[in-house]
Amino acid sequence: MVTTKYSSLFIIVSILPFCLYLFVKKNKEKAKDYLIIFFSGFMLAIMYLLLNKLNTGELMGVRLAPDFGGKFNLRLSLSFILFNLNPFFHGKQSNLLGFITFGWQIAYIISILLTIILFYLIKKSLLTGYNHEMVVFCLISSLIVLGLTIYSYLTTRIDLLDFRLLLPFYFFFFSSVIFSIQSYKAPRNVILIIILSLSIIINFFSIITSHYSLNP
């Protein structure tokens, strides 16, 4: 991902706080492993940016002043963050796969309720210690990626914060939830994993249909 998306640099940055967490927990051996991953990714990122500078004259392309197109676009971007946390509504579409229509109010309600459930699962895992380190790693990565992406949106000109730009955030956030689910407790957890997987699949499908025409 380092060679294809600048936002992947945020993932590399998020490894450092997790290393600090491991040191605090006195798991120094694993912290050293993650530090090796960090420096390896960091060096690859530097090489890529230098090649980009050599070929284009800019490390990360021309940085333009932010243009929100009015407060509505700013509010819409922030709404997308919430909407895309559920598998039943995609922020860029007013319906699900073209045949189930949702109003904005219903979309907010569904998203808020599902977000509460997901954070409950994460909290339960952190309290019980189940897959504790992986949950912490994915949660730290997701929140740092989200924060730095929002910062980029507010300081330079990029597209609306839809699923495409926030893909690393959703990947790590849903991964933290999946790691929170105790696999031996079926079938309830199987259903949860299916719902989480559907969320990613449907959003990917929405991205493809909104950017590319499927008509011959």
Side-chain angles (χ1 to χ4, degrees), residues 34-122:
Y34 276 91
L35 280 175
I36 292 173
I37 294 173
F38 167 78
F39 284 111
S40 300
F42 181 75
M43 292 305 298
L44 287 172
I46 293 298
M47 291 172 59
Y48 170 69
L49 292 177
L50 290 176
L51 286 173
N52 202 39
K53 172 73 173 179
L54 181 65
N55 291 323
T56 67
E58 299 285 345
L59 285 176
M60 301 178 65
V62 178
R63 304 286 94 181
L64 301 175
D67 180 13
F68 304 126
K71 292 183 179 180
F72 176 76
N73 281 351
L74 179 60
R75 187 169 66 250
L76 193 61
S77 286
L78 297 178
S79 297
F80 285 168
I81 298 171
L82 180 64
F83 289 156
N84 290 319
L85 283 174
N86 76 76
F88 310 109
F89 181 90
H90 186 276
K92 293 191 71 173
Q93 307 291 331
S94 61
N95 52 66
L96 170 63
L97 301 185
F99 56 85
I100 300 179
T101 301
F102 288 97
W104 290 97
Q105 295 83 355
I106 296 177
Y108 273 114
I109 293 173
I110 294 176
S111 299
I112 291 172
L113 290 177
L114 186 57
T115 302
I116 292 173
I117 294 173
L118 296 180
F119 272 106
Y120 168 77
L121 293 173
I122 294 174

Side-chain angles (χ1 to χ4, degrees), residues 1-5 8 44 48:
M1 292 183 65
V2 170
T3 59
T4 56
K5 287 181 67 68
S8 60
L44 287 172
Y48 170 69

